[in-house]
């Protein structure tokens, strides 16, 4: 059976969980926490920086959430095509996946990391720069959404977008200037695979470094 190393509050773990849930793929969930030092030990050497998620499939060990989803798409996806075979459709999807990781998730994480580093005295210049980048990305996504209607189907795009927008909106709320993006975030959170991740993460909300908002 597949094994996934991750944590229910981890945005990048959600990316993979959404793909697994969408395809009803059975897996052994190996939560990386203080109660399971052997899981932390495993991921420490799986990739260069010991980050999760990590997927183990027999002798195959795959890290990087996007690569895991590509792997699942090639070998285990039964119900939903996560990454299409057609090269130009796949390329467009991979480009959007990069947008969500690099310009939403990782930029949101800059703000979170500032609060982890020193919650009483976060670097305001770094935070302002990250917020400006998030606003610019929200504006770009608002334009892109004109051509990408909300779908009930899960692809690499939904896997990447749902956790990124879930947490980014907590850090830097999506303004009313971006109604399509607001609507799409709500649509994504209502998808059964994503709603399941939201519920599984709920007990960990008190640990959110900026304080979790009383919604979602
Ligand atoms: N690019 C990686 C990012 C993974 C990542 O940043 N994971 C976080 C959890 S969401 C992590 O491992 N944090 C713990 C650490 O950095 O030691 C991916 O797509 O899997």
């Amino acid at each position: 059976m597949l094994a996934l190393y991750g944590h229910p509050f981890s945005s990048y773990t959600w990316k993979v969980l959404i793909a697994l849930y969408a395809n009803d793929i059975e897996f052994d969930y190996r939560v990386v926490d203080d109660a399971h030092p052997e899981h932390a030990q495993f991921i420490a050497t799986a990739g260069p920086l010991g980050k999760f998620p990590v997927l183990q499939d027999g002798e195959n060990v795959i890290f990087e959430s996007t690569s895991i989803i590509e792997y699942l798409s090639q070998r285990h996806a039964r119900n939903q095509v996560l990454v299409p075979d057609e090269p130009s459709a796949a390329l467009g999807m991979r480009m959007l996946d990069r947008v969500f990781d690099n310009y939403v998730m990782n930029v949101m994480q800059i703000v979170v990391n500032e609060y982890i580093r020193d919650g009483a005295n976060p670097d305001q210049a770094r935070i302002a720069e990250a917020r400006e980048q998030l606003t610019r990305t929200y504006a770009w996504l608002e334009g892109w959404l004109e051509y990408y209607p909300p779908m009930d189907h899960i692809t690499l795009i939904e896997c990447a977008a749902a956790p990124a927008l879930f947490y980014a909106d907590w850090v830097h709320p999506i303004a009313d200037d971006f109604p399509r993006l607001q609507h799409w975030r709500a649509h994504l959170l209502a998808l059964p695979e994503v709603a399941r991740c939201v519920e599984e993460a709920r007990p960990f909300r008190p640990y959110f470094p900026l304080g979790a908002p009383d919604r979602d």
Side-chain angles (χ1 to χ4, degrees):
M1 193 196 296
L2 298 180
L4 179 72
Y5 293 79
H7 190 280
F9 204 45
S10 140
S11 48
Y12 281 107
T13 302
W14 280 29
K15 258 182 86 170
V16 172
L17 286 173
I18 293 165
L20 288 164
Y21 294 157
N23 282 288
D24 297 321
I25 300 169
E26 279 190 43
F27 63 100
D28 184 19
Y29 196 168
R30 301 189 179 157
V31 175
V32 179
D33 60 12
D34 291 344
H36 301 92
E38 71 281 14
H39 297 169
Q41 216 172 347
F42 180 84
I43 62 156
T45 52
L49 297 186
K51 291 182 183 289
F52 48 88
V54 175
L55 185 81
Q56 189 177 26
D57 183 13
E59 289 185 346
N60 295 332
V61 175
I62 302 108
F63 61 93
E64 284 297 313
S65 54
T66 302
S67 303
I68 297 172
I69 293 169
E70 298 257 10
Y71 180 88
L72 293 174
S73 186
Q74 286 171 14
R75 300 187 185 216
H76 296 278
R78 290 188 304 247
N79 312 339
Q80 313 218 16
V81 178
L82 299 166
V83 183
D85 290 335
E86 203 278 302
S88 55
L91 187 148
M93 218 170 250
R94 292 184 178 114
M95 186 175 75
L96 263 296
D97 172 71
R98 298 298 78 225
V99 169
F100 289 110
D101 277 17
N102 292 329
Y103 308 141
V104 183
M105 201 102 94
N106 295 348
V107 177
M108 170 273 295
Q109 194 65 43
I110 291 171
V111 180
V112 172
N113 287 347
E114 276 305 314
Y115 279 85
I116 293 173
R117 190 184 58 77
D118 185 353
N121 191 26
D123 183 331
Q124 294 299 343
R126 273 180 73 75
I127 289 178
E129 189 183 6
R131 286 188 187 284
E132 199 226 326
Q133 289 181 8
L134 283 173
T135 300
R136 287 179 63 184
T137 305
Y138 292 168
W140 187 88
L141 287 169
E142 183 70 12
W144 171 74
L145 282 169
E146 200 178 332
Y147 308 99
Y148 192 82
M151 295 193 304
D152 293 336
H153 184 84
I154 296 289
T155 71
L156 177 60
I157 289 181
E158 282 70 28
C159 293
L165 294 173
F166 177 79
Y167 286 112
D169 185 59
W170 280 13
V171 164
H172 186 63
I174 299 167
D176 291 344
D177 303 354
F178 311 123
R180 281 191 287 261
L181 189 57
Q182 285 180 336
H183 176 258
W184 192 46
R185 179 181 182 275
H187 173 83
L188 289 169
L189 297 192
L191 295 173
E193 299 83 355
V194 180
R196 187 168 165 188
C197 291
V198 171
E199 289 317 310
E200 289 169 354
R202 197 174 291 280
F204 301 96
R205 289 187 181 198
Y207 300 108
F208 192 66
L210 283 77
D214 192 16
R215 58 184 167 84
D216 296 326

